[in-house]
Amino acid sequence: MAMTGILRPGHAQLRVLDLEQATRFYRDIMGLVETGRDGQGRVYFKCWDEHDHSSLILRQADGAGIDFIGFKVLNASTLDQLDKDIQAFGLKTERVPAGDLLETGERVRFVLPTGHVMELYAEKTQIGNGLPAVNPAPWAPDADRGMAPVRFDHCLLYGPNVMANKVLFMEVLGFHLVERILGPAEAGEPEIGLFFSCSHKTHDIAFVEYPEPGKLHHLSFRMPTWERVLRAGDIMGMNKVPIDIGPTRHGVTRGETIYAWDPSGNRFETFAGGYEPYPDSRTITWTFEGFPHGLDFPQGKLHDSFLTVVT
Ligand SMILES: [Fe+2]
């Protein structure tokens, strides 16, 4: 088996200002599948082509943002080993009991140097993608409602101390650095943006240096094609969803993208394309001068809202 350790971003819990409005948005406009509600009133969703019970959990709160991001690991012994390794790195860990999240096993929770709460878990009930394992069709009925992303793909988080996150992600958690963005030459070109992968994807999680800890820039949802990104843009237009950037293509990761805001002001991305790095691929660097094309390759333009608005 080639993939061990941490497998993928599995779930994110998002704070929303009006739970029923947010539920309608993610279910009917985004086209996610609602999979449950718990005793705390949280609402659970998955993308149609995901097999695990849930990848997005909404919680009603007074302020928007992200409560935590959870990564699925290979098995229980991997979870125990990573718990020890994270503690040896110098972070406190906490065990959240199985069942605290619906259909999800015990989680190991810790706070990143950037102030974000991250979790690891080994178990989540597989409820399937609506297709049989024998002779399946290419898509299920849920794939034709709303924007219908195929999976929760990655998140971009803003906070201080991204260099401390780099040590943790590369030396303890087993990620590789796919791309990085440098600060200005007069500041000594510090690394201010880091794109990490635990897989074959261009990024499973990314960080940008920012003075306030624990901030969410966006959650990203994978679309199967560029045409489906454009169709998601059509659906945003039909529903007056406010768009931040796009449709366009990033230089960073080569992803095709639209960024927009949910009704609570949390930014999300509909994303396709990119390339397939391996752990031994060279790291791509974007200089401060080159970054406008890294953000928006055709226009070579820095978008002010993209750089400053977070939740
Ligand atoms: Fe993204």
Side-chain angles (χ1 to χ4, degrees):
M1 183 188 301
M3 277 190 81
T4 58
I6 296 176
L7 300 180
R8 60 175 175 272
H11 62 231
Q13 181 166 303
L14 199 60
R15 295 190 297 274
V16 297
L17 306 180
D18 180 329
L19 190 63
E20 288 313 314
Q21 181 191 39
T23 297
R24 284 194 298 277
F25 174 78
Y26 282 100
R27 184 188 58 211
D28 302 335
I29 298 175
M30 181 78 84
L32 305 187
V33 181
E34 185 179 335
T35 58
R37 298 191 180 213
D38 68 16
Q40 299 178 38
R42 294 179 294 189
V43 186
Y44 293 65
F45 299 91
K46 70 186 247 334
C47 300
W48 79 265
D49 206 17
E50 292 175 313
H51 290 259
D52 286 359
H53 174 268
S54 44
S55 56
L56 178 70
I57 302 115
L58 302 182
R59 179 174 76 84
Q60 170 104 30
D62 292 335
I66 189 167
D67 281 336
F68 52 79
I69 171 86
F71 279 75
K72 194 174 195 187
V73 307
L74 184 63
N75 53 32
S77 61
T78 303
L79 188 66
D80 291 340
Q81 185 60 52
L82 284 165
D83 189 357
K84 288 185 195 127
D85 295 345
I86 293 161
Q87 290 182 47
F89 175 74
L91 296 181
K92 276 198 196 115
T93 65
E94 173 198 351
R95 292 265 178 168
V96 182
D100 173 78
L101 278 181
L102 288 183
E103 305 295 333
T104 305
E106 189 179 31
R107 291 129 67 202
V108 171
R109 176 179 283 184
F110 49 101
V111 180
L112 298 174
T114 46
H116 301 92
V117 177
M118 181 165 164
E119 306 178 338
L120 305 175
Y121 64 94
E123 300 292 335
K124 198 184 280 279
T125 305
Q126 292 203 330
I127 62 172
N129 64 353
L131 296 170
V134 178
N135 304 332
W139 49 272
D142 279 326
D144 211 23
R145 177 168 41 79
M147 301 178 212
V150 291
R151 69 167 185 247
F152 167 47
D153 191 83
H154 64 266
C155 61
L156 173 57
L157 304 175
Y158 273 36
N161 311 315
V162 296
M163 291 308 289
N165 274 18
K166 181 181 179 183
V167 178
L168 174 68
F169 275 78
M170 296 187 70
E171 295 180 13
V172 180
L173 302 178
F175 286 65
H176 53 114
L177 182 63
V178 179
E179 302 207 11
R180 60 186 193 139
I181 301 163
L182 303 182
E186 54 272 26
E189 297 197 311
E191 291 179 326
I192 56 172
L194 299 170
F195 293 71
F196 297 109
S197 179
C198 60
S199 66
H200 210 21
K201 292 154 58 185
T202 49
H203 50 331
D204 288 294
I205 191 166
F207 296 95
V208 163
E209 185 75 23
Y210 191 73
E212 278 182 85
K215 291 296 179 182
L216 171 68
H217 187 275
H218 67 270
L219 297 181
S220 183
F221 295 90
R222 180 79 178 178
M223 312 303 291
T225 64
W226 173 220
E227 285 75 16
R228 289 295 289 211
V229 176
L230 295 175
R231 182 177 175 278
D234 295 339
I235 293 170
M236 292 177 208
M238 291 171 194
N239 291 281
K240 309 289 182 230
V241 175
I243 288 181
D244 185 13
I245 300 183
T248 188
R249 184 218 279 273
H250 288 304
V252 178
T253 78
R254 298 184 200 156
E256 300 136 2
T257 183
I258 301 174
Y259 290 94
W261 283 285
D262 80 1
S264 303
N266 292 302
R267 190 188 283 97
F268 67 91
E269 177 182 30
T270 52
F271 166 86
Y275 57 97
E276 291 83 38
Y278 282 90
D280 66 340
S281 299
R282 65 180 181 176
T283 299
I284 302 290
T285 296
W286 292 87
T287 63
F288 195 70
E289 295 70 33
F291 179 64
H293 283 287
L295 176 57
D296 182 335
F297 198 83
Q299 294 194 77
K301 184 174 158 187
L302 291 178
H303 298 259
D304 200 42
S305 58
F306 187 87
L307 302 177
T308 56
V309 177
V310 291
T311 56

